[in-house]
């Protein structure tokens, strides 16, 4: 079927776009639309045109794949001008997700009618872009500058009801299957009327609002964007365009769009968008139908177990929780209930849904309750003997085709798999805390796991709404292993002359939401202290060891929860402050080791951190722990706060000039409280 078709029925012409999967405005669609308008122009019986899309959505944007190729005429802005110039009114019939270039096409039409479930928005900033086909010009003129700014600079879509309220669309129809009939009725109502004035042909603009404080809006946007430039450019472009005649405004928008599209940030963001879509596509599972799961077993109702249980409930699964004793079970139930209460407070679920979900959680101290489960995930203490015992209990109860998963952070899942019958159904599901909120899930493929197990685990992850990254078994998998590698380098820098506040300031300046030391303080320092104590006997004595974290724990400085860690905290919510005692401790330790401290600037700090990530990333790739470099980027961005607009450490390695890390720009933002 061609990308664009036209059908004539009495006085109406219906243009249909058919370009699966998302009806992107690829070249075939753009030229198809131009041809369709020419065809319609030949038919004097036509008095109105309906523009609709085949499949599950109206146009959801420009074709991202084409951004890396030379632009081919007709360009989208010109196609939209042609729609807008039609002497017959064009009614856009909207369903699904009307996004980016799709919304711009709709704005080029004279009227818009949408089914009630439609979502509309400009997500361009998420790709490091601004709308490039008239969005910053037409949207403010139609819905006012404030609404347009919120739509364009935030990148979040709105519902059809809000769109109607804002005047972005003209009518809402209850269901998708009524849409065409409603569009026909609408078209017949307006076919004899003159087309409303085109949004982008007016030479003056009367919508310049006096009440916007542009300076503070720009500053707030920059602060929220944490170094990403597109949202700020979006605000500035809208501001400037409001004062320009439409043709100049369109040209200005295009110039800003092209500069962003060809820039480093958008390339990084497009890279990670596609990497997230592709990371879980494995040849081994391509032809496998995943097993249907209805009931999930969870062992342990602590921090992780309760979070995982909540994620499963929210995704529609029944959950059976097993705990050690009644008190621990009650606490696990309470933890889940608290998470769901928060979802209720945030409007994610309704009160009746809250009750329904909690009713789907059952608990027991007896493993026999696991009988109906298709997948059991253990999230008990990080102790091999405890986990091995739990695995034996699970295997003794469930069928041999029930998948058994471990949420271990570091332990050898191959060894755990080897301890039960049918090890081919054992897998790692490494969730991140809070498990019902964090999008990342490392799916750890044990050496013996079969494709059915892997395919089912990946499909389960998708159903939970997670970004699943397949990884092999090793100490720390992809993410924790890379974090250990760069943490070590940070500790070396501390002994050699830097201070925690300088390292954290460099990291936040680079775009991390928080630095490594503040993050450790938040997580609690005692966990890694215990790990180091466990590893002490087997540690290579020749390897450089930094004991500063141990000294802090010996003084009871376990981080934020004790008011002291690498930093000091005035109360539970306050920002970290450098602590002179820690400065003294560090200076003394350097002196004790005979290290002459030297200054580190932010560029050197970031170079050291990113290079450590890349070196470890290369090793992980060589060992086959990660399938692709993209997988590493997806993990670091979604689990460890690596700034998304930089595309990930491996993207930086392969896509920047050779002196790359010397050249990256640190963004000028509100000074961090640590500096
Ligand atoms: N270009 C090319 N391919 C795209 C695409 C795009 N803009 N958006 C999605 N796809 C592809 C995906 O890679 C995926 O491919 P696959 O089937 O080979 O894996 C397929 O479409 C389906 O995507 P999803 O798996 O994401 O499907 P969902 O149903 O979950 O979500 C969606 C659909 C909401 C449209 C989501 O894909 C999305 O948010 N896409 C991005 C939309 C966007 O950013 N639009 C703006 C683009 S920039 C622009 O329009 C500039 C303009 O101003 C000039
Ligand atoms: P936690 O201490 O909060 O919870 C562990 C729970 O397991 C407790 O409720 C305990 O009663 C229960 N439990 C212990 N032995 C049991 C047994 N034999 N049978 C049934 N229940 C038992 O620990 P947390 O933080 O939830 O960690 C659990 C696992 O998740 C660990 O393997 C950890 O490494 C891993 N993990 C932890 C992350 C974190 O951020 N805390 C992140 C990712 C993984």
């Amino acid at each position: 079927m061609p990308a664009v078709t036209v059908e004539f029925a009495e006085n109406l012409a219906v243009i249909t776009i058919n370009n699966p999967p998302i009806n992107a405005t690829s070249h075939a669609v753009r030229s198809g639309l131009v041809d369709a308008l020419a065809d319609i122009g030949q038919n004097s019986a036509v008095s109105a045109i309906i523009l609709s899309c085949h499949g599950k959505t109206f146009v959801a944007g420009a074709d991202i794949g084409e951004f890396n190729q030379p632009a081919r005429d007709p360009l989208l802005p010109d196609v939209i001008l042609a729609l807008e110039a039609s002497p017959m009114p064009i009614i856009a019939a909207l369903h699904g997700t009307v996004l980016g270039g799709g919304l711009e096409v709709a704005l080029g039409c004279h009227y818009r009618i949408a089914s009630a479930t439609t979502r509309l928005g400009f997500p361009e900033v998420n790709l490091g872009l601004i709308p490039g086909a008239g969005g910053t010009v037409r949207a403010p003129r139609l819905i006012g500058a404030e609404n347009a700014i919120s739509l364009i600079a935030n990148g979040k879509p709105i519902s059809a009801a809000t769109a109607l309220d804002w005047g972005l669309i003209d009518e809402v129809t209850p269901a998708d299957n009524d849409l065409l009939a409603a569009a026909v009725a609408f078209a017949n109502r307006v076919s004899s009327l003159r087309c409303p004035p085109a949004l982008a042909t007016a030479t003056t603009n009367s919508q310049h609002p006096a009440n916007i404080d542009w300076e503070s809006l720009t500053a707030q946007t920059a602060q929220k964007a944490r170094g990403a430039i597109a949202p700020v450019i979006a605000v500035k472009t809208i501001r400037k365009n409001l004062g320009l005649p439409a043709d100049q405004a369109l040209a200005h928008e295009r110039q800003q769009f092209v500069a962003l599209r060809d820039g480093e940030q958008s390339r990084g963001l497009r890279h990670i968008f596609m990497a997230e879509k592709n990371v879980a596509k494995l040849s081994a599972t391509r032809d496998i139908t995943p097993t249907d799961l209805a009931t999930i077993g969870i062992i342990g109702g602590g921090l992780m177990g309760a979070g995982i249980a909540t994620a499963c409930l929210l995704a529609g699964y029944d959950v059976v929780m097993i705990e050690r004793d009644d008190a621990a079970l009650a606490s696990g139930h309470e933890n889940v209930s608290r998470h769901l209460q928060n979802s209720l407070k945030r409007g994610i679920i309704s009160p009746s849904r809250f009750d329904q979900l909690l009713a789907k959680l059952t608990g027991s101290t007896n493993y026999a309750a696991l009988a109906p489960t298709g997948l059991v995930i253990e999230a008990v203490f990080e102790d091999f003997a405890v986990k091995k015992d739990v695995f034996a209990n699970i295997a003794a109860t469930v069928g041999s085709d029930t998948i058994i998963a471990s949420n271990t952070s570091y332990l050898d899942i191959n060894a755990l798999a080897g301890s039960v019958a049918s090890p081919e159904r054992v897998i790692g599901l490494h969730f991140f805390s809070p498990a019902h909120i964090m999008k990342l899930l490392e799916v750890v493929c044990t050496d013996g796991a079969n494709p059915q197990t892997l395919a089912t685990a990946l499909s389960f992850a998708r159903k939970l709404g997670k970004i699943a990254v397949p990884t092999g078994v090793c100490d720390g998998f992809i993410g924790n292993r890379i974090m250990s590698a760069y943490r070590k380098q940070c500790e070396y820098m501390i002994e050699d002359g830097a201070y925690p506040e300088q390292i954290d300031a460099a990291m936040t300046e680079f775009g991390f939401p928080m630095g490594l030391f503040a993050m450790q303080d938040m997580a609690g320092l005692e966990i890694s202290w215990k790990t180091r104590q466990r590893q002490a006997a087997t540690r290579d004595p020749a390897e450089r060891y930094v004991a500063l974290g141990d000294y802090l724990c010996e003084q009871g400085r376990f981080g934020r929860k004790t008011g002291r860690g690498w930093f000091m905290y005035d109360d539970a919510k306050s920002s970290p402050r450098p602590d002179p005692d820690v400065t003294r401790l560090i200076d003394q330790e350097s002196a004790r080791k005979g290290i002459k401290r030297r200054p580190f600037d932010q560029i050197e700090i970031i170079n050291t951190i990113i290079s450590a990530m890349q070196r470890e990333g290369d090793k992980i790739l060589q060992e086959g722990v990660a399938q692709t470099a993209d997988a590493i980027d997806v993990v670091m961005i979604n689990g460890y706060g690596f700034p998304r607009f930089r595309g990930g450490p491996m993207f930086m390695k392969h896509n920047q000039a050779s002196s790359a890390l010397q050249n990256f720009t640190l963004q000028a933002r509100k000074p961090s409280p640590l500096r």
Side-chain angles (χ1 to χ4, degrees):
M1 192 175 167
V4 178
T5 52
V6 189
E7 284 172 282
F8 295 96
E10 299 179 2
N11 63 322
L12 299 181
V14 179
I15 304 177
T16 306
I17 298 174
N18 180 27
N19 184 27
I22 62 136
N23 287 317
T25 57
S26 316
H27 179 255
V29 169
R30 300 195 304 272
S31 56
L33 284 172
V34 171
D35 293 347
L37 288 174
D39 270 8
I40 294 167
Q42 303 292 314
N43 188 334
S44 58
V46 174
S47 59
I49 304 169
I50 293 171
L51 174 60
S52 69
C53 283
H54 187 74
K56 64 176 190 173
T57 183
F58 190 79
V59 176
D63 184 340
I64 295 172
E66 285 188 0
F67 288 165
N68 300 329
Q69 298 158 14
R72 283 170 71 195
D73 285 335
L75 300 181
L76 189 58
D78 298 329
V79 176
I80 293 173
L81 283 173
L83 290 169
E84 197 168 46
S86 161
M88 284 83 73
I90 307 183
I91 296 93
L94 311 175
H95 73 293
T97 42
V98 181
L99 300 176
L103 183 51
E104 291 174 302
V105 166
L107 287 174
C109 298
H110 304 93
Y111 300 98
R112 288 151 292 279
I113 165 168
S115 67
T117 52
T118 310
R119 308 218 21 107
L120 304 95
F122 287 114
E124 280 89 341
V125 289
N126 302 323
L127 297 171
L129 298 167
I130 60 168
T136 69
V137 181
R138 292 186 180 91
R141 286 158 199 237
L142 187 62
I143 60 176
E146 271 132 332
N147 287 338
I149 290 165
S150 105
L151 208 54
I152 293 171
N154 295 335
K156 296 210 175 80
I158 54 171
S159 65
T162 305
L164 184 67
D165 191 37
W166 287 6
L168 189 64
I169 57 176
D170 303 287
E171 193 174 298
V172 175
T173 180
D176 279 7
N177 48 11
D178 302 334
L179 182 61
L180 199 56
V184 167
F186 193 102
N188 282 322
R189 280 205 306 279
V190 297
S191 62
S192 59
L193 306 177
R194 285 182 51 182
C195 285
L199 286 168
T201 50
T203 48
T204 55
N205 160 54
S206 56
Q207 295 231 299
H208 211 313
N211 56 344
I212 295 181
D213 178 349
W214 289 100
E215 298 308 323
S216 71
L217 178 66
T218 311
Q220 277 164 23
T221 307
Q223 199 189 344
K224 214 167 124 202
R226 274 207 230 107
I229 53 176
V232 180
I233 304 235
V235 172
K236 289 184 175 169
T237 305
I238 294 170
R239 179 183 187 182
K240 179 154 183 194
N241 282 353
L242 284 165
L244 290 176
D247 54 343
Q248 289 179 30
L250 287 174
H252 174 245
E253 174 198 78
R254 190 71 190 168
Q255 182 205 357
Q256 298 296 315
F257 170 83
V258 170
L260 285 170
R261 184 198 62 195
D262 297 342
E264 200 102 285
Q265 289 202 2
S266 179
R267 284 196 293 115
L269 285 161
R270 274 154 29 213
H271 153 77
I272 201 68
F273 175 85
M274 292 316 282
E276 285 172 358
K277 302 268 167 231
N278 293 329
V279 68
K281 288 180 186 163
L282 302 179
S283 51
T285 55
R286 193 182 298 138
D287 300 322
I288 311 256
T289 309
T291 311
D292 266 344
L293 301 172
T295 306
I296 312 297
I298 310 235
I299 320 294
L303 178 73
M304 295 308 291
I308 298 167
T310 308
C312 292
L313 291 168
L314 287 168
Y317 292 107
D318 289 348
V319 172
V320 178
M321 179 183 281
I322 303 287
E323 257 291 357
R324 290 181 294 173
D325 52 43
D326 289 340
L329 187 58
S331 155
H333 193 276
E334 181 52 39
N335 291 340
V336 175
S337 171
R338 204 180 48 249
H339 292 327
L340 290 175
Q341 284 282 0
N342 284 336
S343 302
L344 179 64
K345 273 190 220 142
R346 287 162 56 210
I348 295 166
I349 53 172
S350 64
S352 63
R353 183 97 183 111
F354 172 85
D355 294 335
Q356 280 165 9
L357 293 184
L358 211 51
K360 280 156 135 320
L361 172 68
T362 53
S364 180
T365 52
N366 184 343
Y367 280 73
L370 293 176
T373 58
L375 163 68
V376 181
I377 307 167
E378 73 73 20
V380 301
F381 302 136
E382 185 76 345
D383 180 304
F384 189 82
V386 175
K387 288 197 192 283
K388 191 173 164 203
D389 197 35
V390 165
F391 259 54
N393 286 333
I394 301 168
T397 318
V398 300
S400 62
D401 53 353
T402 291
I403 298 176
I404 308 181
S406 173
N407 183 47
T408 180
S409 307
Y410 289 99
L411 299 175
D412 182 354
I413 309 185
N414 279 334
L416 276 174
S419 72
V420 294
S422 310
E424 66 279 1
R425 43 69 185 263
V426 173
I427 199 147
L429 289 176
H430 184 229
F431 287 81
F432 288 71
S433 177
H436 58 302
I437 291 174
M438 292 287 283
K439 293 283 269 180
L440 181 65
L441 176 55
E442 286 179 321
V443 174
V444 189
C445 189
T446 55
D447 291 352
N450 66 18
Q452 187 66 40
T453 302
L454 188 54
T456 305
L458 292 173
S459 146
F460 167 72
R462 233 184 342 267
K463 192 154 172 215
L464 295 192
K466 304 291 181 198
I467 299 171
V469 180
T471 122
V473 178
C474 72
D475 199 2
F477 316 122
I478 297 176
N480 279 345
R481 179 163 157 187
I482 291 184
M483 192 175 73
S484 298
Y486 80 80
R487 185 172 54 205
K488 204 178 271 181
Q489 294 302 322
C490 288
E491 289 171 354
Y492 295 167
M493 283 192 278
I494 295 280
E495 277 190 346
D496 290 344
Y499 293 100
E501 55 271 27
Q502 290 172 332
I503 292 190
D504 278 17
M507 289 180 76
T508 51
E509 190 71 9
F510 181 73
F512 282 89
M514 89 171 40
L516 177 72
F517 292 97
M519 192 181 78
Q520 290 184 52
D521 273 357
M522 203 172 76
L525 302 184
E526 73 284 5
I527 304 167
S528 46
W529 183 36
K530 282 189 194 133
T531 309
R532 289 194 297 275
Q533 285 171 339
R534 259 203 318 273
Q535 292 168 341
T538 51
R539 191 174 298 125
D540 176 1
E543 193 185 335
R544 179 171 177 183
Y545 181 75
V546 178
L548 285 163
D550 300 345
Y551 301 158
L552 294 177
C553 290
E554 284 158 15
Q555 295 173 18
R557 301 180 66 118
F558 295 133
R560 184 177 270 281
K561 63 186 153 202
T562 53
R564 297 274 189 281
W566 288 103
F567 299 113
M568 57 204 278
Y569 302 86
D570 296 330
D571 57 58
K573 295 227 160 107
S574 66
S575 301
R577 280 196 295 123
D579 185 338
D581 289 345
V582 175
T583 308
R584 222 172 357 259
L585 184 74
I586 291 170
D587 289 344
Q588 282 165 1
E589 183 66 356
S590 303
R592 186 186 70 79
K593 286 190 165 179
I595 298 169
K596 187 166 174 343
R597 293 179 66 77
R598 67 174 180 88
F600 283 78
D601 67 15
Q602 292 202 330
I603 300 282
E604 182 175 0
I605 291 171
I606 287 297
N607 271 339
T608 306
I609 291 173
I610 307 298
S611 306
M613 289 182 179
Q614 292 168 340
R615 275 195 308 275
E616 200 63 28
D618 281 341
K619 280 193 217 154
I620 283 173
L621 276 172
Q622 275 156 20
E623 292 168 23
V625 168
Q627 300 270 322
T628 59
D630 290 7
I632 295 171
D633 289 339
V634 172
V635 167
M636 297 318 291
I637 284 174
N638 289 288
Y640 297 82
F642 195 95
R644 192 173 174 85
F645 64 84
R646 297 203 189 267
M650 305 312 276
F651 174 81
M652 287 182 71
K653 176 171 164 144
H654 296 296
N655 286 278
Q656 291 192 324
S658 51
S659 55
L661 292 171
Q662 311 295 335
N663 292 340
F664 78 79
T665 39
L666 290 168
Q667 308 296 325
R669 286 179 296 108
K670 194 170 166 237
S672 146
L674 291 176
R675 273 180 299 155

